[in-house]
Amino acid sequence: MRAGITGTGSFVPEKVLTNHDIEKMVDTSDEWIIERTGIRERRIAEDGINTSDLAVEAAKRALDRACLRARDIDLIIVATVTGDMPLPSTACFVQKKLKAKKAAAFDINAACSGFTFGLSVANAYIKSCMAKRVLLIGAETLSRITDWEDRSTCVLLGDGAGAVVVEPSDNDSGIWSVDIFTDGSIWNLLNVPAGGSAFPASEETVKNRMHFLKMKGNETFKIAVRTLEKAVVDTLKKNRISASDVSLLVPHQANLRIIQATAKRLNMNMDKVVVNVDRYGNTSAASIPIALDEACRQGRIRKGDFILLESFGGGLTWSSALIKW
Ligand code: ACO
């Protein structure tokens, strides 16, 4: 038995922050941001809107698509690095707001790879018959951990949420493989230093801006290109299909140049690649499910299509998944 995606949904806040807006905040330019990242604008959640609020809107749309009600769900998984609070999990708030009373709920943190890591968990729950209907959500309010004085990171990040419903599938469609990888030895390339047990919140951590995301962008970039190329090639080999059999590549949206490098390695034309980094920037765990949902709604995914997902993020973590729709 395989697990398959039976519904997708996404939600982004209305407020748009353009590159020109950021030009007024730090020493950068629209040209630099577009040339180095492909990003033109990103969405920002208004004050008082939490990660769980974005997650709930995306979840409702995915449930609609799957023709299910919240009370049908057995398990809610929220992938996020920007939960509403350190405790309880954001999934608990989502469960409450959706009134999904039957569902157990927990968060996972694998940074930008959170959605695909969550997909591997949902896959395992379904295949082992521990759950029949899983709601998997990637949701972030990265604007809350963005250092708006650091031009090397603040141009990259945005807010949003994407969700999928995962259920048993009755033929050869569904998740063919989902492979997840971690290298904790290079955690220092991308992190939020304070707010945990290593550096609990203090006057000093606030003063030293340690609650904001830090990234060694260029080193991360090089490792991302190398690792993703290998991950997608290995996934295709393992499933004995070639890149030409893949209808659509749905990559994590961190940087257009990283996306293009993976597509080039697979010899894939960019019209077979979902790109929305120009409109949303990097929304971390929300990025793949938002892109997947947009592709579904635009009619770019048909039954029987092979869809390849790939992600890369803090940890470091990376992954690759193959789905037959
Ligand atoms: N505007 C203008 N100049 C800038 C900006 C900016 N916003 N940011 C940096 N620069 C400058 C730097 O200071 C540097 O100047 P210098 O040469 O005088 O020192 C120059 O531009 C080049 O900087 P690099 O960091 O080498 O630029 P690069 O081409 O690598 O692009 C970027 C930076 C966009 C961050 C890129 O490295 C990248 O996308 N990295 C990977 C991001 C990623 O995939 N992260 C993982 C997922 S994120 C997550 O898990 C939450």
Side-chain angles (χ1 to χ4, degrees):
M1 192 218 341
R2 293 187 201 277
I5 292 176
T6 55
T8 66
S10 62
F11 180 79
V12 291
E14 248 177 59
K15 185 176 166 191
V16 174
L17 188 74
T18 66
N19 291 349
H20 293 296
D21 295 327
I22 298 185
E23 280 175 348
K24 293 173 201 146
M25 299 157 70
V26 290
D27 179 17
T28 190
S29 68
D30 181 45
E31 294 73 34
W32 191 95
I33 303 171
I34 293 174
E35 193 195 308
R36 308 309 292 169
T37 72
I39 300 168
R40 291 172 187 274
E41 57 186 44
R42 66 288 292 142
R43 300 299 180 97
I44 305 291
E46 298 284 357
D47 289 352
I49 299 296
N50 299 335
T51 297
S52 64
D53 298 315
L54 306 183
V56 163
E57 291 309 315
K60 283 180 182 165
R61 293 171 189 196
L63 287 167
D64 268 0
R65 272 289 165 119
C67 302
L68 291 179
R69 292 155 304 182
R71 62 174 184 265
D72 300 324
I73 296 295
D74 304 315
L75 177 65
I76 298 172
I77 306 170
V78 175
T80 187
V81 294
T82 48
D84 293 12
M85 296 177 190
L87 189 161
S89 71
T90 300
C92 292
F93 291 117
V94 172
Q95 191 239 26
K96 170 186 171 280
K97 289 175 186 175
L98 285 175
K99 299 192 177 69
K101 290 200 173 135
K102 196 173 84 180
F106 57 82
D107 288 1
I108 61 164
N109 174 344
C112 296
S113 305
F115 177 78
T116 35
F117 273 54
L119 193 64
S120 77
V121 177
N123 190 35
Y125 263 87
I126 300 280
K127 288 180 81 163
S128 61
C129 301
M130 283 172 67
K132 267 196 157 166
R133 288 163 180 154
V134 180
L135 177 61
L136 167 63
I137 309 167
E140 303 283 9
T141 47
L142 293 178
S143 60
R144 308 273 160 83
I145 58 162
T146 299
D147 185 344
W148 294 105
E149 293 179 9
D150 175 10
R151 70 173 182 174
S152 69
T153 53
C154 76
V155 301
L156 305 173
L157 311 170
D159 301 340
V164 297
V165 175
V166 186
E167 296 182 82
S169 89
D170 47 9
N171 46 39
D172 78 336
S173 68
I175 299 164
W176 278 36
S177 69
V178 48
D179 299 308
I180 61 172
F181 307 93
T182 301
D183 185 353
S185 71
I186 35 180
W187 67 271
N188 59 328
L189 293 184
L190 183 48
N191 57 80
V192 178
S197 61
F199 297 101
S202 68
E203 224 174 283
E204 203 180 330
T205 59
V206 173
K207 196 174 81 205
N208 292 333
R209 311 184 77 74
M210 290 169 69
H211 295 269
F212 295 126
L213 183 142
K214 318 277 176 204
M215 180 165 64
K216 294 184 178 137
N218 194 266
E219 284 168 64
T220 309
F221 182 94
K222 287 178 198 154
I223 299 172
V225 170
R226 204 175 56 234
T227 2
L228 285 175
E229 286 182 356
K230 180 169 171 6
V232 289
V233 168
D234 286 353
T235 290
L236 294 182
K237 261 194 210 150
K238 174 176 159 175
N239 289 287
R240 298 205 176 105
I241 73 161
S242 72
S244 59
D245 297 322
V246 174
S247 301
L248 208 59
L249 173 66
V250 186
H252 169 50
Q253 310 281 319
N255 185 314
L256 183 59
R257 290 185 293 141
I258 299 177
I259 297 172
Q260 286 167 333
T262 314
K264 193 170 167 207
R265 176 68 182 83
L266 293 176
N267 220 357
M268 256 174 135
N269 204 305
M270 284 304 286
D271 63 7
K272 286 172 80 179
V273 182
V274 181
V275 175
N276 63 17
V277 68
D278 52 327
R279 288 179 288 129
Y280 304 134
N282 180 351
T283 57
S284 191
S287 134
I288 289 181
I290 294 174
L292 191 62
D293 181 51
E294 287 194 345
C296 285
R297 281 165 207 270
Q298 289 159 1
R300 293 178 74 184
I301 301 182
R302 286 180 302 270
K303 204 163 169 41
D305 282 353
F306 278 113
I307 311 297
L308 187 59
L309 314 181
E310 47 104 325
S311 69
F312 184 87
L316 293 182
T317 55
W318 64 98
S319 73
S320 170
L322 184 73
I323 300 171
K324 188 171 184 189
W325 212 256

